[in-house]
Amino acid sequence: MDIKQLQYLCNLEREKHFGRAAEASFVSQPTLSMRLKNLEKELDLSLINRGNNFEGFTPEGLRVLSWAREIVSVYEGLKLEVASLKQGLSGTLRIGVMPQCSLSLSALLKGIGENHAGLDYRVSEVSADQLIESLSSHSVDIGIGFFEFSTLNELRFQLFPLQDGGVDLVYHPAHFPQLEGVERLEAAQVAALPLCLSEASRYFRRYLDNYFRINGLELHPILESSSIFQLMQGVFVGLGCALVPRGHLIDDMTPALKRCPLDITPMSRHAALVVAEAGRATPLAQHFFGAASQWLADRGNLPQG
């Protein structure tokens, strides 16, 4: 058994297709299949359900896969640790971020980069549950999202809470002139509008749906997408309006669009920048966490109250 075989197994889980897994592993499909069959032979276990195509993992395969994910993530972390020791405060930082968080990640990275050159970033969009799992398994170094702080404390994460700026409706005045001059929107006004919203499985969308449902209202998305780019295009051409956490978008990127605050109760979860506990976080992650916390504090990005 070697690390390559475990990486192939993890790539197969992610891609759910032998050809794509081989491509992600930078080997031919016959090579990937042969190495995985050798792993099964060595363990004397059937790990993969095979038919004409990949048909999932056997129960034994799922058990082995959970170990493989942990070993591969530790191995990747070790490589980054060695790189940071060689290069100082530079290298590649793995960041997991929930979609539509109340923070412009690019603005944060740019701000830190002005004083800390040499950092590169690999950013993955993940769900709330995936982010906690990725932080726990060290497959990401930094997490940005909405959390239950009690859960983070139980898992002994370090966290920097972010300000909840509320929710804005983003619209194009040429398509929705009736919104011009409105200082604050009520839920019933928003429920009457066509909307461009994130997918229903996303935490921010669930928060919105729940708030409107409690108030006896229903949102009417004309466009749903996991892509913020697609949603903003929909707003620009007038398909509908978007609901976004304040601080998520960079206004200068969309000068034609305007925003209006929505009167809405705060989320039950809290936005935060998260890293593993001191001593378990890599030096690179710990350095970034300290620099990011300072950058955010200097700009007043702190929770109210």
Side-chain angles (χ1 to χ4, degrees):
M1 184 190 309
D2 60 43
I3 192 67
K4 288 290 186 184
Q5 290 170 307
L6 301 182
Q7 288 173 323
Y8 298 163
L9 198 66
C10 292
N11 287 341
L12 182 59
E13 179 202 21
R14 185 179 69 249
E15 301 296 337
K16 296 179 174 56
H17 185 276
F18 286 107
R20 292 195 298 270
E23 186 176 340
S25 303
F26 303 102
V27 297
S28 66
Q29 183 172 333
T31 296
L32 180 130
S33 296
M34 179 191 68
R35 295 300 305 279
L36 291 178
K37 286 179 180 178
N38 288 344
L39 178 62
E40 290 177 309
K41 187 180 299 184
E42 182 178 346
L43 297 176
D44 195 24
L45 288 172
S46 175
L47 305 178
I48 301 164
N49 292 318
R50 293 178 174 85
N52 292 331
N53 299 298
F54 171 69
E55 296 180 358
F57 294 94
T58 65
E60 296 81 4
L62 291 173
R63 295 279 298 274
V64 172
L65 180 63
S66 67
W67 282 99
R69 286 196 298 260
E70 181 74 17
I71 293 168
V72 169
S73 65
V74 170
Y75 173 73
E76 294 295 333
L78 174 61
K79 290 200 299 183
L80 292 173
E81 181 89 0
V82 170
S84 69
L85 292 172
K86 290 179 179 178
Q87 301 168 13
L89 297 176
S90 62
T92 300
L93 194 76
R94 303 165 299 171
I95 302 174
V97 60
M98 287 175 58
Q100 291 192 301
C101 194
S102 52
L103 171 70
S104 169
L105 176 59
S106 294
L108 171 65
L109 300 183
K110 175 64 175 176
I112 292 175
E114 290 176 355
N115 295 318
H116 303 278
L119 287 173
D120 298 318
Y121 308 98
R122 192 166 71 216
V123 179
S124 302
E125 281 200 349
V126 292
S127 68
D129 293 339
Q130 288 172 332
L131 186 50
I132 289 290
E133 181 181 343
S134 297
L135 286 164
S136 299
S137 65
H138 306 290
S139 56
V140 299
D141 304 299
I142 297 287
I144 300 173
F146 302 105
F147 304 94
E148 297 284 354
F149 282 0
S150 59
T151 300
L152 295 180
N153 290 331
E154 288 174 8
L155 295 171
R156 302 175 70 179
F157 289 126
Q158 301 174 77
L159 66 94
F160 183 88
L162 304 175
Q163 179 178 342
D164 181 0
V167 175
D168 285 333
L169 181 92
V170 178
Y171 67 97
H172 197 305
H175 303 295
F176 294 91
Q178 71 272 27
L179 297 175
E180 287 278 71
V182 178
E183 294 186 0
R184 195 168 188 85
L185 286 163
E186 300 295 328
Q189 294 172 286
V190 174
L193 295 169
L195 297 170
C196 302
L197 299 176
S198 58
E199 294 174 331
S201 61
R202 301 297 191 182
Y203 172 73
F204 180 70
R205 172 67 186 281
R206 298 202 309 270
Y207 154 67
L208 294 174
D209 285 341
N210 184 61
Y211 173 79
F212 280 82
R213 190 179 302 113
I214 288 173
N215 286 275
L217 299 167
E218 185 178 354
L219 294 175
H220 300 286
I222 194 168
L223 172 64
E224 291 181 302
S225 176
S226 61
S227 166
I228 302 302
F229 175 73
Q230 294 296 335
L231 296 178
M232 288 301 102
Q233 280 198 330
V235 173
F236 183 79
V237 301
L239 276 177
C241 307
L243 290 170
V244 300
R246 191 168 304 127
H248 175 65
L249 300 177
I250 300 174
D251 288 340
D252 290 346
M253 290 182 64
T254 53
L257 305 183
K258 293 191 177 182
R259 63 176 63 227
C260 183
L262 169 64
D263 189 9
I264 189 170
T265 57
M267 301 183 198
S268 59
R269 294 183 181 180
H270 306 283
L273 176 76
V274 179
V275 70
E277 65 180 319
R280 294 186 67 224
T282 66
L284 189 62
Q286 189 67 54
H287 165 71
F288 177 88
F289 179 75
S293 299
Q294 187 61 57
W295 188 88
L296 292 164
D298 289 345
R299 282 148 187 81
N301 198 324
L302 295 164
Q304 300 289 325

